[in-house]
Amino acid sequence: MFKKILNALIDTPVLTSIFITDLGILMFHKPPFLFSLAMLGGLMAMCMYYGQKLALFKV
């Protein structure tokens, strides 16, 4: 499972760098509220994209 996640992150380097940078800024800095809200929305959208792409839990 970890290898599948790592391969998906390597396949899309631009989205991965945006994801990591966004997460780091939200965790370690205190951006303004509206900017933080927009970044959180972007982070959620990327999480949904990676979740759909990986489909780790097949039902």
Side-chain angles (χ1 to χ4, degrees), residues 1-12 16 50 54 56-57:
M1 182 166 82
F2 181 71
K3 186 171 180 135
K4 188 175 182 181
I5 294 171
L6 192 60
N7 285 336
L9 292 175
I10 291 173
D11 287 343
T12 55
T16 302
Y50 280 126
L54 292 173
L56 294 174
F57 305 108

Side-chain angles (χ1 to χ4, degrees), residues 20-31 35-41 43:
I20 291 172
T21 304
D22 192 7
L23 186 64
I25 289 173
L26 283 174
M27 285 180 65
F28 299 117
H29 297 294
K30 180 112 171 113
F35 184 64
S36 176
L37 200 61
M39 288 177 64
L40 188 61
L43 191 62

